[in-house]
């Protein structure tokens, strides 16, 4: 079986974890500080603040901006639910633009149409490992005096015009188990603003600047040295992993590029893609067969695949009728959630694995054994909440 993602930790990670255990300092300590320094260097940011997960990174970034109730954050409708949950947890209101078919990211044009007197933050999501158009978002933010929080959970080391994501505003990264860099659970906030970095460090430590010196109502958002020890060796090998992911993506594109109606993901000019996922848009005639395609890839060919994501982020009953979730039409995102399918691209694929993945996709799309299109009725993922 070729899984869609693989997590492997080497002997050096084991050694560093043991070193931390034997040191007796397992909470936030020198390994966390080292990870912050090295991650800031990877991104090209002046400051990096480690926290306990990627959602926390988003929440803390928003909290550091000191928004008021009713203040709005404009973000993408096509993302993992943590993006929306973080906005709500921070006490803000979520409003959504639409995305581009080229990179699956929020467009500045659609965000601009949503800006109003309550808008305070633009939150583009650098989805699947490729940056949003940060020139356009920077210009929009400057025009309306807005802050930028970059949801960079899937884009460690990605760049826009040579500049690292997470340096255009506050960057929020995830170290969840399946991310390109992992601590199991963990996150990082990056910034070039020394005042915000200081506020974040106090906020994550129960509001303490020093022991029992409380300066704000804070939280326990700390990362442990055990987690940092897991991540540090990965930074050494990360450039090689990105090279392998990029090579795998190029080969998949070559092998699948001639299938009519199949949309292949692209690295856009000026973007440094880190290929967290390789996400296809199925031909229109196969969209309603997607679950059968996934089953056949797994059962007939031993190839894992996944749907990231099956609905727009707000299209669940728990977000319906909430005043802090403003739902408006997002036609491009609606098309993408109906057709998207991710296949393996990770750095542990052999050349033979890549060929096998592509051959399986080709074979399944050409197969006559897939169930016929439904004759009537909505698709199982059809919208259920009002727009």
């Amino acid at each position: 079986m070729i899984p869609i993602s693989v997590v492997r930790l080497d002997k050096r990670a084991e050694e560093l974890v043991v070193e931390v255990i034997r040191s007796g300092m397992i909470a936030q300590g020198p390994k966390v500080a080292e990870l912050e320094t090295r991650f800031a260097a990877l991104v090209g940011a002046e400051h990096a603040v480690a926290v306990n997960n990627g959602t926390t990174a988003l929440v803390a970034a928003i909290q550091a901006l000191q928004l008021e109730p009713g203040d709005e954050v404009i973000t993408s409708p096509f993302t993992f639910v943590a993006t929306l949950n973080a906005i709500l947890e921070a006490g803000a209101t979520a409003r959504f633009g639409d995305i581009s078919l080229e990179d699956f990211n929020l467009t500045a044009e659609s965000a601009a149409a949503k800006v109003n007197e309550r808008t305070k933050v633009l939150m583009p999501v650098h989805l699947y490992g490729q940056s949003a158009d940060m020139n356009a978002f920077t210009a929009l933010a400057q025009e309306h005096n807005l802050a930028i929080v970059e949801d960079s959970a899937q884009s460690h080391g990605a760049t826009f015009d040579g500049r690292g994501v997470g340096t255009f505003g506050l960057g929020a990264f995830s170290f969840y188990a399946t991310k390109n860099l992992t601590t199991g659970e963990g996150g990082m906030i990056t910034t070039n603003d020394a005042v915000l970095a200081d506020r974040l460090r106090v906020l994550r430590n129960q509001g303490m600047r020093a022991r029992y010196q409380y300066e704000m109502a804070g939280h326990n958002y700390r990362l442990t040295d055990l987690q940092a020890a897991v991540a540090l060796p990965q930074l050494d090998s990360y450039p090689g992993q990105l090279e392998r992911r990029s090579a795998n993506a190029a080969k998949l594109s070559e092998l699948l590029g001639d299938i009519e109606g199949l949309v292949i993901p692209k690295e856009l000019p000026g973007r440094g893609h880190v290929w967290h996922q390789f996400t296809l848009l199925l031909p229109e005639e196969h969209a309603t067969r997607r679950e059968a395609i996934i089953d056949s890839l797994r059962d007939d060919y031993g190839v894992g695949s996944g749907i990231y994501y099956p609905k727009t982020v707000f299209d669940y009953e728990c977000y319906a009728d909430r005043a802090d979730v403003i739902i408006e039409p997002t036609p491009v995102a609606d098309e993408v959630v109906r057709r998207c399918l991710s296949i393996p691209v990770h750095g542990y694929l052999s050349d033979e694995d890549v060929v096998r993945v592509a051959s399986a996709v080709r074979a399944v799309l050409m197969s006559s054994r897939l169930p016929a299109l439904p004759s009537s009725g909505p698709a199982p993922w059809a919208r259920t909440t009002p727009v």
Side-chain angles (χ1 to χ4, degrees):
M1 179 72 180
I2 299 176
I4 194 166
S5 64
V6 172
V7 179
R8 291 181 186 171
L9 302 175
D10 63 16
K11 184 173 178 59
R12 182 57 182 154
E14 296 177 17
E15 292 171 348
L16 284 182
V17 168
V18 171
E19 179 184 316
V20 171
I21 292 172
R22 290 176 177 170
S23 75
M25 186 178 291
I26 62 175
Q28 182 177 290
K31 297 298 184 197
V32 170
E34 182 182 354
L35 179 61
E36 289 175 332
T37 298
R38 294 188 62 186
F39 193 81
L42 171 69
V43 170
E46 294 181 20
H47 308 277
V49 181
V51 291
N52 55 1
N53 60 62
T55 307
T56 295
L58 286 168
V59 173
I62 300 170
Q63 289 176 330
L65 296 173
Q66 300 177 321
L67 303 190
E68 299 291 336
D71 287 347
E72 293 185 3
V73 178
I74 299 175
T75 194
S76 173
F78 186 55
T79 180
F80 183 56
V81 71
T83 306
L84 174 53
N85 285 343
I87 294 169
L88 302 181
E89 185 176 341
T93 295
R95 188 182 286 272
F96 304 90
D98 206 351
I99 65 173
S100 166
L101 280 175
E102 285 193 309
D103 60 8
F104 305 121
N105 288 324
L106 179 69
T107 69
E109 180 182 14
S110 70
K114 307 298 180 181
V115 172
N116 60 71
E117 67 278 3
R118 294 179 298 277
T119 308
K120 294 297 185 291
V121 180
L122 301 174
M123 187 186 285
V125 180
H126 306 308
L127 198 68
Y128 301 146
Q130 180 160 220
S131 170
D133 183 351
M134 293 313 298
N135 279 348
F137 277 104
T138 298
L140 180 61
Q142 292 173 345
E143 179 183 355
H144 296 281
N145 193 29
L146 305 175
I148 294 176
V149 174
E150 302 170 67
D151 185 339
S152 310
Q154 301 178 1
S155 296
H156 315 69
T159 59
F160 181 87
D161 283 350
R163 181 175 171 183
V165 303
T167 67
F168 294 87
L170 283 163
F173 295 82
S174 171
F175 295 142
Y176 179 66
T178 58
K179 296 298 190 290
N180 288 14
L181 292 169
T182 180
T183 59
E185 288 280 9
M188 191 74 76
I189 308 160
T190 56
T191 180
N192 290 329
D193 187 319
V195 173
L196 288 177
D198 179 71
R199 188 178 299 161
L200 286 162
R201 293 185 188 281
V202 174
L203 179 67
R204 74 169 173 190
N205 192 35
Q206 299 289 11
M208 291 190 295
R209 181 171 300 283
R211 188 171 176 81
Y212 302 132
Q213 180 186 336
Y214 299 103
E215 297 191 358
M216 66 177 70
H219 309 275
N220 179 1
Y221 287 164
R222 296 183 297 265
L223 189 72
T224 71
D225 265 30
L226 289 169
Q227 292 165 298
V230 169
L232 285 169
Q234 297 172 53
L235 290 170
D236 297 329
S237 59
Y238 194 50
Q241 181 188 151
L242 294 186
E243 288 179 6
R244 291 190 296 273
R245 286 177 177 268
S246 181
N248 292 342
K251 189 64 175 178
L252 287 170
S253 297
E254 175 190 339
L255 295 173
L256 296 172
D258 65 334
I259 299 178
E260 185 176 356
L262 184 69
V263 178
I264 307 296
K266 299 176 181 178
E267 181 178 64
L268 298 183
R271 318 283 178 98
H273 204 317
V274 296
W275 296 105
H276 175 63
Q277 295 289 350
F278 189 92
T279 301
L280 308 164
L281 291 186
L282 295 173
E284 185 64 40
E285 65 269 23
H286 289 296
T288 55
R289 298 182 170 110
R290 186 167 54 174
E291 292 295 340
I293 289 170
I294 291 171
D295 291 345
S296 182
L297 285 172
R298 180 190 63 242
D299 298 339
D300 299 331
Y301 298 95
V303 172
S305 59
I307 302 172
Y308 308 111
Y309 299 94
K311 293 185 178 185
T312 47
V313 69
F314 50 74
D315 195 12
Y316 295 87
E317 189 62 32
C318 59
Y319 299 114
D321 303 319
R322 291 187 58 136
D324 53 2
V325 180
I326 300 174
I327 300 174
E328 297 167 311
T330 55
V332 180
D334 289 345
E335 177 181 351
V336 171
V337 299
R338 191 170 53 84
R339 296 173 58 192
C340 65
L341 180 68
S342 297
I343 59 176
V345 74
H346 58 79
Y348 298 105
L349 295 171
S350 66
D351 292 345
E352 292 76 13
D353 288 337
V354 174
V355 172
R356 179 176 157 192
V357 169
S359 298
V361 171
R362 179 179 293 276
V364 171
L365 292 181
M366 303 302 177
S367 174
S368 61
R369 292 180 295 161
L370 292 174
L373 290 166
S375 57
S376 63
W381 52 85
R383 181 179 302 282
T384 57
T385 54
V387 296

